[in-house]
Amino acid sequence: MRQANRAPDALRFIEIIPHAAKYAEGSCLIKFGDTHVLCAASVADKVPFFMRGQGQGWVTAEYGMLPRATNQRTDREAVRGAQTGRTQEIQRLIGRALRACIDQRAMGEMQIKLDCDVLQADGGTRTAAITGGYVALALAFKHLVRTRRLHTIPLVDSVAAVSCGLYKGACLLDLDYNEDSNAQADANFVLTGAGGIVEVQATAERSAFAQEEFLALLDLARKGIAQLSALQKDVIEKE
Amino acid sequence: MRQANRAPDALRFIEIIPHAAKYAEGSCLIKFGDTHVLCAASVADKVPFFMRGQGQGWVTAEYGMLPRATNQRTDREAVRGAQTGRTQEIQRLIGRALRACIDQRAMGEMQIKLDCDVLQADGGTRTAAITGGYVALALAFKHLVRTRRLHTIPLVDSVAAVSCGLYKGACLLDLDYNEDSNAQADANFVLTGAGGIVEVQATAERSAFAQEEFLALLDLARKGIAQLSALQKDVIEKE
Amino acid sequence: MRQANRAPDALRFIEIIPHAAKYAEGSCLIKFGDTHVLCAASVADKVPFFMRGQGQGWVTAEYGMLPRATNQRTDREAVRGAQTGRTQEIQRLIGRALRACIDQRAMGEMQIKLDCDVLQADGGTRTAAITGGYVALALAFKHLVRTRRLHTIPLVDSVAAVSCGLYKGACLLDLDYNEDSNAQADANFVLTGAGGIVEVQATAERSAFAQEEFLALLDLARKGIAQLSALQKDVIEKE
Amino acid sequence: MRQANRAPDALRFIEIIPHAAKYAEGSCLIKFGDTHVLCAASVADKVPFFMRGQGQGWVTAEYGMLPRATNQRTDREAVRGAQTGRTQEIQRLIGRALRACIDQRAMGEMQIKLDCDVLQADGGTRTAAITGGYVALALAFKHLVRTRRLHTIPLVDSVAAVSCGLYKGACLLDLDYNEDSNAQADANFVLTGAGGIVEVQATAERSAFAQEEFLALLDLARKGIAQLSALQKDVIEKE
Amino acid sequence: MRQANRAPDALRFIEIIPHAAKYAEGSCLIKFGDTHVLCAASVADKVPFFMRGQGQGWVTAEYGMLPRATNQRTDREAVRGAQTGRTQEIQRLIGRALRACIDQRAMGEMQIKLDCDVLQADGGTRTAAITGGYVALALAFKHLVRTRRLHTIPLVDSVAAVSCGLYKGACLLDLDYNEDSNAQADANFVLTGAGGIVEVQATAERSAFAQEEFLALLDLARKGIAQLSALQKDVIEKE
Amino acid sequence: MRQANRAPDALRFIEIIPHAAKYAEGSCLIKFGDTHVLCAASVADKVPFFMRGQGQGWVTAEYGMLPRATNQRTDREAVRGAQTGRTQEIQRLIGRALRACIDQRAMGEMQIKLDCDVLQADGGTRTAAITGGYVALALAFKHLVRTRRLHTIPLVDSVAAVSCGLYKGACLLDLDYNEDSNAQADANFVLTGAGGIVEVQATAERSAFAQEEFLALLDLARKGIAQLSALQKDVIEKE
């Protein structure tokens, strides 16, 4: 049985609290059960070097985790002197995912940086960060339209993410830390609100898995992401 | 006038929410107005190298700030590749302050690390971190006694901190960011519950200040810290 | 038309030259067209800290690229002072892929590190590195059996990888640099010789793609990897 | 008894040798007993980024210690790859102290960097660095007036520093290393020639101390700093 | 006896394969026996900061070694986070050697960076790198003349290098790794095609050596470098 | 004419002040004209990892330069976060030079680290550091014999160094900064007291030089080093 009698195809309790960071142009605190991620969007006039003079915008992300977000304390990256490979991999993924739903031309030469900081971690931090990051981004765009720095919201679709895995032979949606650590395979799916695939990352932990299993995981993800997309829409519209 | 009609000798609205970090042995979220700091205590069996084999405990601290805790985004220290001088100065101060109230022998060979992470910053983050750090530490000790890893709580006093400053000729208690940035002098005081001085750091911003001014700031700090100490006691006893 | 009239479902000219590094326990130079990767396996008695005392082996990988492997010179990572996020992501992928085909118990407490260094880069360096890395690993195991440090070859399957992409509406196998830079979506597939899925990484570049497109890419990859697996087997058996 | 029968309220033997660094615009070697610090002022046309275009000057400091300045060799910071937290804290303090006595407008857009390098260390290196740093700075300003790069010396006051501490119940002025290591509390005071407070840093080592004790230390510091200020004046005027 | 019956004054088997790096403006793979170095020249419009606006060119070098180029694997410098002192010393030497044969004015404001990467190491990597680096540089200049970016080849002489050493009382030319590790003294000589001295680095390993021994090594080097210069000329002219 | 009418074959004014660092086991301040280097020897029980358990001693060196030792201030290496290639090259040279005169077996398992810190720089800092480093080392050995940690002084010879150069066609001994910057060639020679060659480093600056010129420089160096050796002996014996 899953924690709290959760069904195999059920998300954890999901909550999105908008405006959780007072000073950010857009922000939310997103909870996937005991995984809590604070997502804050910061707007800057300058795009990165390789984008200058093209009249297009850019969205990028940084990811961090508080040292005691986890059950065992992990070393602080600022003390280690570098972000780990895992951190860099995750923040590159978040950035790619969010860029898939924007209209860079409509943004104009402007950069938005999403800071996704994990306050508490119980598995699925990268999927929560993408899902919450999209909300923070959309709220920042609403703010920019309201303050007349943009004419229209330069979003072409929404984007959300969830993990799935094979655990003791079953296909499970939205793995918590315990399930994730013991899964035979786990996959992260990033889909748009319209159902398009943005990113798939599937990894066998011990032994390879079959194509049918993979497709079953993708089906589960579709269901979960449909619910997440609806919740995102709801939160963004209310603001 | 101060923000929200605050009197010169009044603290901001102070709130201490215990157990704010699910996995930590002791924790709280402390708010000094719009300054919010998450304090989490992690217990480890190993003391640092220079303390080994002495049968004594050690308490140390790390400090961090989320990039968008502030009005203008600041660079992430993990990306810069090092903690700034300011960060190191603050975490050394927090560690010294907390060590002033413990009985190292009674702890036995054990280390507690306090992670003080600023989620939102409006001035006074180091004093909030010390005040909240003490609560997280005391709650961790209560947990260790409850789980029989310690016989008694190895605390000899409590410790709390507040800032004061000279602002347009007046002495103000508990500066917010705007006051702090424009003060002629500002000082951080760390006192014990019993009123002893643990640390004083006073700095003239533009021109030197007089001894009487300094003593007036110290008086203000005493009043503020008495209130903070009472609140700390209240929160810790309830748990 | 593709470069050199290549069919959409054709691999580039593939060559695997075994024993390309004189001092390594196992090695090969693998060529996917103009992409050339030198793969060298180094055997060590020590496993990493987190594996000690479990009687199991470990395989890990490091990835590098010569500064002028590419059309435009890139900065040397040793001069920059750190591996890029991309490099770390790739070497983590190679390590995971190779660990999926070994029997860690049968290895005993021993570590093999695969150095995959790109001498020339024309797209698909990570898939070439995995495919060549497996050959270097298998040759190292043969060497260890021959020199009686192992009784049997601790491999449970073979592993190979290839990229596919959507390019101007068509599904293409084994993208070169020019195709990869202009693809709407690209995916890296790691499969075992027996056809199991080890890793899937699919990324939309500009806009999301459809599930059918994704499945068509997976089909293409299956065909390509079958050919790579046969070539690997051939090279390894001859030695 | 103190080393060399020194009275509790006596400074160590103080010596300030001007022009100790041939190439610097202003310099001195300052000795507080066996603590020797070489202070050199370097003038640059460029102010730091955050000061540009304001027509104001800036003074900053860097602090270092030779590896064998101390009784036990300490690691070289250039080999460790970073300045320690202690070093950064001290150089920030020196910079703030020196900026308290300058007229930034009168300097014009110019930066002076004070290098304070400890050749030999027997306690009180930061207070010697501030006291000697002021002399080097004043000599640099005299040089700039003499060479017509400035019209007047942009100093509004002088600044000097000394440490005091509680040691076996007594209040002592200007602690040496042995006294400092065993003090119950120690404090660094930075005062102007006119007697204004620039910086106070007081720290309890083991247990908190009382307000009267703190005030007694401040009184001691006033006496010591009066002597240091007179000596500074003497040295600067002679040049 | 030396490996493969080599005479004391004989070079190892030398081979220079031009155009070994497809994308570089000039390149070669040079072999001194089992020492293999890939040398690639990259042309850039920008000279380093300290050379700007002088209308002169600059040549510089970077050196690296694949982790398993050697008998025992060495750590990857990009993972260590810095180039070793040895690496920096070698690349500074290569740069100085190559700059000794160019006409900086005739180059115009342009920089050429030589990447010398050791694929396999059996002693003498720095001398092979200089010898091959010159070939890559000359081929790059020929390419620049052919593509009309330069009018004439801005070379005033050629440059090549070889090591010599005292080994069991004998003077040996072109030491391999085993000889080098056991030599009483070893020296690296860099000479021009015309016989001028560009650089001499001689080091006693255990005890000092005599002037006559040193001169005997220099004589040996002259002979070896004459052969290397002839081979360089041959390879460059054929292209 | 040279500065102060110095003859081409004359050393600058040389001074060696022993015991210049109070806490070091052996030390001196050495002056080659305006080049001043503080050399301090620190004794440690532990040899480096690669020397353990062999019953032999080790001597190593670190080199540093105060930021304002030079005419133009240079950046502090501890702030840059790494030693430059030049620094590493020099400290490796000093270590090799000093190891050439010791009897490692007679030292027993003990390490001596020489810190050579340049307080003022006017050319020839590395040769002054070697010459002074030897004195500090010898004084440390005398101290170890006096305090009965060694039976005999484990030195087999003395070692000293000097630079020579070709400047406007003439051969000059002991170059100052101005001569060094404008020399056509410069060379550093490290010889033993008995006249053996320990290290030769000769570099052409613009164009290659001839063998006769090189030999003339070596002759000059012999004369200068004979004087330095006599002075070293004198200073060491007096202590």
Side-chain angles (χ1 to χ4, degrees):
Chain A
M1 279 309 300
R2 305 184 80 180
Q3 185 74 12
N5 284 333
R6 186 151 61 106
D9 64 350
L11 294 170
R12 288 178 282 182
F13 178 73
I14 310 288
E15 193 178 7
I16 303 177
I17 303 163
H19 302 315
K22 180 178 179 173
Y23 301 112
E25 280 81 6
S27 69
C28 73
L29 174 64
I30 188 163
K31 301 185 181 177
F32 276 31
D34 277 332
T35 290
H36 302 177
V37 185
L38 184 57
C39 303
S42 296
V43 178
D45 291 333
K46 257 192 180 167
V47 289
F49 185 75
F50 59 88
M51 291 289 297
R52 300 222 176 117
Q54 302 177 27
Q56 297 189 36
W58 188 248
V59 170
T60 184
E62 290 188 6
Y63 172 93
M65 197 186 271
L66 297 194
R68 198 55 197 277
T70 43
N71 199 20
Q72 302 297 313
R73 187 181 184 276
T74 52
D75 287 343
R76 189 177 289 268
E77 291 184 325
V79 170
R80 290 178 69 249
Q83 293 183 301
T84 62
R86 177 185 171 276
T87 291
Q88 292 187 63
E89 199 171 314
I90 293 175
Q91 67 192 11
R92 284 157 55 93
L93 169 64
I94 301 170
R96 281 199 309 271
L98 296 178
R99 285 193 296 275
C101 64
I102 57 169
D103 177 344
Q104 288 179 276
R105 293 230 157 266
M107 273 180 79
E109 207 144 326
M110 159 197 297
Q111 180 173 235
I112 300 188
K113 186 169 276 186
L114 268 297
D115 285 293
C116 301
D117 285 275
V118 179
L119 305 186
Q120 207 170 273
D122 186 31
T125 64
R126 78 187 70 189
T127 54
I130 291 168
T131 307
Y134 170 76
V135 173
L137 178 63
L139 293 177
F141 280 137
K142 286 190 85 163
H143 171 81
L144 289 169
V145 169
R146 212 155 36 223
T147 56
R148 312 231 172 151
R149 292 173 62 186
L150 285 177
H151 293 293
T152 56
I153 289 181
L155 285 167
V156 296
D157 202 339
S158 70
V159 75
V162 80
S163 73
C164 301
L166 293 174
Y167 180 74
K168 298 186 184 167
C171 290
L172 300 184
L173 177 66
D174 188 20
L175 307 180
D176 65 22
Y177 178 73
N178 180 54
E179 292 165 345
D180 187 63
S181 314
N182 296 290
Q184 296 141 256
D186 76 89
N188 293 296
F189 295 93
V190 186
L191 304 182
T192 62
I197 298 175
V198 171
E199 185 111 9
V200 175
Q201 291 187 337
T203 305
E205 277 312 315
R206 256 154 250 277
S207 52
F209 55 94
Q211 185 153 335
E212 308 77 60
E213 292 171 315
F214 176 74
L215 294 175
L217 296 179
L218 176 47
D219 272 356
L220 263 186
R222 282 206 178 282
K223 284 177 203 157
I225 287 177
Q227 295 171 48
L228 293 170
S229 299
L231 180 56
Q232 287 175 321
K233 202 177 160 203
D234 206 48
V235 169
I236 295 163
E237 280 178 1
K238 273 193 190 135
E239 296 301 317
Chain B
M1 278 311 300
R2 305 184 80 179
Q3 185 75 12
N5 283 333
R6 186 150 61 107
D9 64 349
L11 293 170
R12 288 177 281 183
F13 177 72
I14 309 288
E15 193 178 8
I16 302 177
I17 302 163
H19 302 314
K22 179 179 180 173
Y23 301 113
E25 281 81 5
S27 69
C28 72
L29 174 63
I30 189 163
K31 301 185 181 176
F32 276 34
D34 276 333
T35 289
H36 301 177
V37 185
L38 184 56
C39 304
S42 296
V43 178
D45 291 333
K46 258 193 181 168
V47 289
F49 185 74
F50 59 89
M51 291 290 297
R52 296 217 180 121
Q54 302 177 28
Q56 297 188 36
W58 189 247
V59 170
T60 185
E62 290 186 6
Y63 171 92
M65 197 186 271
L66 298 195
R68 199 54 198 280
T70 44
N71 198 19
Q72 301 298 314
R73 186 179 185 277
T74 53
D75 287 342
R76 190 177 287 268
E77 291 184 325
V79 171
R80 291 178 68 248
Q83 294 183 300
T84 62
R86 179 186 171 275
T87 291
Q88 292 188 62
E89 200 170 315
I90 292 175
Q91 66 193 11
R92 284 156 55 92
L93 168 65
I94 301 171
R96 280 198 310 272
L98 295 179
R99 285 194 295 277
C101 65
I102 57 169
D103 177 345
Q104 287 179 277
R105 294 231 156 267
M107 274 181 78
E109 208 146 324
M110 158 196 296
Q111 182 173 234
I112 299 187
K113 186 169 275 185
L114 267 296
D115 285 293
C116 301
D117 285 275
V118 180
L119 305 187
Q120 206 170 274
D122 186 30
T125 63
R126 78 188 71 188
T127 54
I130 291 168
T131 307
Y134 171 76
V135 172
L137 178 64
L139 292 177
F141 281 138
K142 286 188 85 164
H143 171 80
L144 289 169
V145 168
R146 214 157 35 225
T147 55
R148 311 230 171 151
R149 290 173 62 187
L150 283 177
H151 292 294
T152 57
I153 288 181
L155 286 168
V156 297
D157 203 339
S158 69
V159 75
V162 80
S163 74
C164 300
L166 293 174
Y167 180 75
K168 300 186 182 167
C171 290
L172 299 185
L173 178 66
D174 188 20
L175 308 180
D176 65 23
Y177 177 73
N178 180 53
E179 292 165 344
D180 187 64
S181 314
N182 296 290
Q184 298 141 255
D186 76 87
N188 293 295
F189 296 94
V190 184
L191 303 182
T192 62
I197 298 175
V198 170
E199 185 110 8
V200 174
Q201 291 187 337
T203 304
E205 279 312 313
R206 256 152 249 275
S207 53
F209 54 93
Q211 185 153 335
E212 309 76 60
E213 292 172 316
F214 176 74
L215 293 175
L217 296 180
L218 176 47
D219 272 357
L220 264 185
R222 281 203 180 285
K223 285 179 202 154
I225 287 178
Q227 295 171 46
L228 292 170
S229 298
L231 180 56
Q232 287 175 320
K233 203 177 157 201
D234 206 46
V235 169
I236 295 164
E237 279 179 2
K238 272 193 190 137
E239 296 302 315
Chain C
M1 279 310 300
R2 306 184 80 180
Q3 185 74 14
N5 284 332
R6 187 150 60 106
D9 63 350
L11 294 170
R12 288 177 281 182
F13 177 72
I14 309 289
E15 192 178 7
I16 303 177
I17 303 163
H19 303 314
K22 180 179 178 172
Y23 301 113
E25 281 81 5
S27 69
C28 72
L29 175 63
I30 189 163
K31 301 185 180 175
F32 276 33
D34 276 332
T35 290
H36 302 177
V37 185
L38 184 57
C39 303
S42 296
V43 178
D45 291 333
K46 257 192 181 168
V47 289
F49 185 74
F50 60 87
M51 292 289 297
R52 299 223 177 116
Q54 302 177 28
Q56 296 188 38
W58 188 248
V59 169
T60 184
E62 290 187 5
Y63 172 92
M65 197 186 272
L66 297 194
R68 198 56 197 279
T70 44
N71 198 19
Q72 302 297 313
R73 186 180 184 277
T74 52
D75 288 342
R76 191 177 287 269
E77 291 184 324
V79 170
R80 292 178 68 248
Q83 294 183 301
T84 61
R86 178 186 171 276
T87 291
Q88 293 187 61
E89 200 171 315
I90 292 175
Q91 66 193 11
R92 284 157 54 93
L93 168 65
I94 301 170
R96 281 198 309 271
L98 295 178
R99 284 194 296 275
C101 64
I102 56 168
D103 177 345
Q104 287 179 277
R105 294 229 156 268
M107 273 181 80
E109 207 145 325
M110 158 196 296
Q111 180 174 236
I112 299 187
K113 186 169 276 184
L114 267 296
D115 285 293
C116 300
D117 285 275
V118 180
L119 306 187
Q120 207 170 273
D122 186 29
T125 64
R126 78 188 70 189
T127 54
I130 291 169
T131 307
Y134 171 76
V135 173
L137 178 63
L139 292 177
F141 281 138
K142 285 189 86 164
H143 170 81
L144 289 169
V145 168
R146 213 155 38 224
T147 56
R148 313 233 170 149
R149 290 172 63 187
L150 284 177
H151 292 294
T152 56
I153 289 181
L155 286 167
V156 296
D157 203 338
S158 69
V159 75
V162 80
S163 73
C164 300
L166 293 174
Y167 180 74
K168 300 187 183 165
C171 289
L172 300 184
L173 178 66
D174 189 20
L175 307 180
D176 65 23
Y177 177 74
N178 180 53
E179 293 165 345
D180 187 63
S181 315
N182 296 290
Q184 298 141 255
D186 76 88
N188 293 296
F189 296 94
V190 186
L191 304 182
T192 63
I197 298 174
V198 170
E199 185 110 9
V200 175
Q201 292 187 335
T203 304
E205 279 312 314
R206 257 153 247 277
S207 52
F209 54 94
Q211 186 152 335
E212 309 76 59
E213 293 172 315
F214 176 74
L215 293 176
L217 295 180
L218 176 48
D219 272 356
L220 263 186
R222 282 205 179 283
K223 285 178 202 155
I225 287 178
Q227 294 172 49
L228 293 170
S229 298
L231 180 56
Q232 287 175 320
K233 202 177 159 203
D234 207 46
V235 169
I236 295 164
E237 277 178 4
K238 271 193 191 134
E239 296 303 316
Chain D
M1 279 311 299
R2 304 184 81 179
Q3 185 75 12
N5 284 332
R6 187 151 59 109
D9 64 349
L11 293 170
R12 287 177 283 182
F13 177 72
I14 309 290
E15 193 178 7
I16 302 177
I17 303 162
H19 302 315
K22 181 178 179 173
Y23 301 112
E25 280 81 6
S27 69
C28 73
L29 174 64
I30 188 163
K31 301 185 181 177
F32 277 32
D34 277 332
T35 290
H36 302 176
V37 184
L38 185 57
C39 303
S42 297
V43 178
D45 290 333
K46 257 193 181 166
V47 289
F49 185 74
F50 59 89
M51 291 289 297
R52 299 221 177 118
Q54 303 177 27
Q56 297 189 37
W58 189 247
V59 170
T60 184
E62 289 188 7
Y63 172 92
M65 196 185 271
L66 298 193
R68 198 56 197 278
T70 44
N71 199 20
Q72 304 296 315
R73 187 181 184 276
T74 52
D75 287 343
R76 190 177 288 269
E77 291 183 324
V79 171
R80 291 177 69 247
Q83 293 183 302
T84 62
R86 178 186 172 276
T87 291
Q88 292 187 62
E89 198 170 316
I90 292 175
Q91 68 192 12
R92 284 156 55 92
L93 168 65
I94 302 170
R96 281 198 309 271
L98 296 178
R99 284 192 297 275
C101 64
I102 57 168
D103 176 346
Q104 287 179 277
R105 293 230 156 266
M107 274 180 78
E109 206 146 325
M110 159 196 295
Q111 180 173 235
I112 299 188
K113 186 169 275 186
L114 266 297
D115 285 294
C116 300
D117 284 275
V118 180
L119 305 186
Q120 205 170 273
D122 186 31
T125 63
R126 79 187 70 188
T127 54
I130 290 168
T131 308
Y134 171 76
V135 173
L137 178 64
L139 293 177
F141 281 137
K142 286 189 84 164
H143 170 80
L144 290 169
V145 168
R146 214 158 34 225
T147 56
R148 312 230 172 152
R149 292 174 61 188
L150 284 176
H151 293 293
T152 56
I153 289 182
L155 286 167
V156 296
D157 202 339
S158 69
V159 75
V162 79
S163 73
C164 299
L166 293 174
Y167 179 75
K168 298 187 183 165
C171 290
L172 300 184
L173 177 66
D174 188 20
L175 307 180
D176 65 22
Y177 177 74
N178 180 54
E179 292 166 346
D180 187 64
S181 315
N182 296 289
Q184 297 141 256
D186 76 89
N188 293 296
F189 296 94
V190 185
L191 304 182
T192 62
I197 298 175
V198 171
E199 184 110 9
V200 175
Q201 291 188 337
T203 305
E205 278 311 314
R206 255 154 249 276
S207 52
F209 54 93
Q211 186 153 334
E212 308 78 59
E213 291 171 317
F214 175 74
L215 294 175
L217 296 179
L218 177 47
D219 272 356
L220 263 186
R222 282 205 179 283
K223 284 178 203 157
I225 287 177
Q227 295 171 49
L228 293 169
S229 298
L231 180 57
Q232 287 174 320
K233 203 179 159 200
D234 207 47
V235 169
I236 294 163
E237 278 178 3
K238 273 193 189 134
E239 295 303 317
Chain E
M1 280 309 299
R2 303 184 82 180
Q3 186 74 13
N5 284 333
R6 185 150 62 107
D9 64 348
L11 293 170
R12 288 178 282 183
F13 177 72
I14 310 288
E15 192 178 7
I16 303 177
I17 303 162
H19 302 315
K22 180 179 179 173
Y23 302 112
E25 280 82 5
S27 69
C28 73
L29 174 64
I30 188 162
K31 301 185 181 176
F32 276 32
D34 277 332
T35 291
H36 302 177
V37 185
L38 184 57
C39 303
S42 297
V43 178
D45 291 332
K46 256 193 181 168
V47 290
F49 184 75
F50 59 88
M51 292 288 297
R52 300 221 176 117
Q54 301 177 28
Q56 297 189 37
W58 189 248
V59 170
T60 185
E62 290 187 7
Y63 172 91
M65 198 186 271
L66 297 195
R68 198 57 197 278
T70 44
N71 199 18
Q72 303 297 314
R73 187 181 184 275
T74 52
D75 288 342
R76 190 177 289 268
E77 291 184 326
V79 171
R80 289 178 70 247
Q83 293 183 301
T84 62
R86 178 186 171 276
T87 290
Q88 292 187 62
E89 199 170 316
I90 293 174
Q91 68 192 11
R92 283 156 56 93
L93 168 65
I94 301 170
R96 281 198 309 271
L98 296 178
R99 284 193 297 275
C101 64
I102 57 169
D103 177 346
Q104 287 179 275
R105 293 231 156 267
M107 273 180 79
E109 207 144 326
M110 157 196 297
Q111 181 174 235
I112 300 188
K113 186 169 275 186
L114 268 296
D115 285 292
C116 301
D117 285 275
V118 180
L119 306 187
Q120 206 170 274
D122 186 31
T125 63
R126 79 187 70 189
T127 54
I130 291 168
T131 308
Y134 171 76
V135 173
L137 178 64
L139 293 177
F141 281 137
K142 285 190 85 164
H143 170 81
L144 290 168
V145 169
R146 214 156 34 224
T147 56
R148 311 230 172 153
R149 293 173 61 187
L150 285 176
H151 293 292
T152 55
I153 289 182
L155 286 167
V156 296
D157 203 339
S158 69
V159 75
V162 80
S163 73
C164 299
L166 293 174
Y167 180 76
K168 299 186 184 167
C171 290
L172 300 185
L173 177 66
D174 188 21
L175 307 179
D176 65 21
Y177 178 73
N178 180 53
E179 293 166 344
D180 187 64
S181 313
N182 296 290
Q184 297 141 255
D186 76 89
N188 293 295
F189 296 94
V190 185
L191 304 181
T192 62
I197 298 175
V198 171
E199 185 110 10
V200 175
Q201 291 187 337
T203 305
E205 278 311 315
R206 254 153 251 276
S207 52
F209 55 93
Q211 186 153 336
E212 308 77 59
E213 292 173 316
F214 176 74
L215 293 175
L217 296 180
L218 175 47
D219 273 356
L220 264 185
R222 282 205 179 285
K223 284 178 203 157
I225 288 178
Q227 295 171 47
L228 293 170
S229 298
L231 180 56
Q232 287 175 321
K233 205 179 157 200
D234 206 47
V235 169
I236 295 163
E237 278 178 2
K238 272 192 191 137
E239 297 301 317
Chain F
M1 278 311 299
R2 305 184 79 181
Q3 185 74 12
N5 285 332
R6 188 151 58 108
D9 64 349
L11 293 170
R12 288 177 283 183
F13 178 72
I14 309 289
E15 193 179 6
I16 303 177
I17 302 162
H19 303 314
K22 180 179 179 173
Y23 302 111
E25 281 82 5
S27 69
C28 72
L29 174 64
I30 189 163
K31 301 185 181 176
F32 276 32
D34 277 332
T35 290
H36 302 176
V37 184
L38 184 56
C39 304
S42 296
V43 178
D45 291 333
K46 258 194 180 166
V47 289
F49 185 74
F50 59 88
M51 292 289 296
R52 297 220 179 119
Q54 301 177 27
Q56 297 189 37
W58 189 248
V59 169
T60 185
E62 289 187 6
Y63 172 93
M65 196 185 272
L66 297 194
R68 199 55 197 280
T70 44
N71 200 19
Q72 302 297 314
R73 186 180 185 277
T74 52
D75 288 342
R76 190 177 288 269
E77 292 184 324
V79 170
R80 292 177 68 249
Q83 293 183 301
T84 61
R86 179 187 170 275
T87 290
Q88 293 187 62
E89 200 170 316
I90 292 175
Q91 66 192 11
R92 283 157 54 94
L93 168 65
I94 301 171
R96 281 198 308 271
L98 295 178
R99 284 193 296 275
C101 66
I102 57 168
D103 177 345
Q104 287 179 278
R105 293 230 156 268
M107 272 181 79
E109 207 145 325
M110 158 196 296
Q111 180 173 236
I112 299 187
K113 186 169 276 185
L114 267 296
D115 286 293
C116 300
D117 285 275
V118 179
L119 305 187
Q120 206 170 274
D122 186 31
T125 64
R126 77 187 72 189
T127 54
I130 291 169
T131 307
Y134 170 75
V135 172
L137 178 64
L139 292 177
F141 280 138
K142 285 189 85 163
H143 170 80
L144 289 169
V145 168
R146 214 156 37 224
T147 55
R148 312 229 171 152
R149 291 174 62 185
L150 284 177
H151 292 294
T152 57
I153 289 180
L155 286 168
V156 296
D157 202 340
S158 70
V159 75
V162 80
S163 73
C164 300
L166 294 174
Y167 180 75
K168 299 187 182 166
C171 291
L172 299 185
L173 177 66
D174 188 20
L175 308 179
D176 66 21
Y177 177 73
N178 180 53
E179 293 165 344
D180 187 64
S181 314
N182 297 290
Q184 298 140 256
D186 76 88
N188 293 295
F189 296 95
V190 186
L191 303 182
T192 62
I197 298 175
V198 170
E199 185 110 8
V200 175
Q201 292 188 336
T203 305
E205 278 313 315
R206 255 152 250 277
S207 52
F209 55 95
Q211 185 152 338
E212 309 76 59
E213 292 172 315
F214 176 74
L215 293 175
L217 295 180
L218 176 48
D219 272 356
L220 263 185
R222 283 206 177 282
K223 284 179 203 157
I225 287 178
Q227 294 171 48
L228 293 170
S229 299
L231 180 56
Q232 286 176 321
K233 201 178 160 203
D234 207 47
V235 169
I236 294 163
E237 278 178 2
K238 272 194 189 133
E239 296 303 314

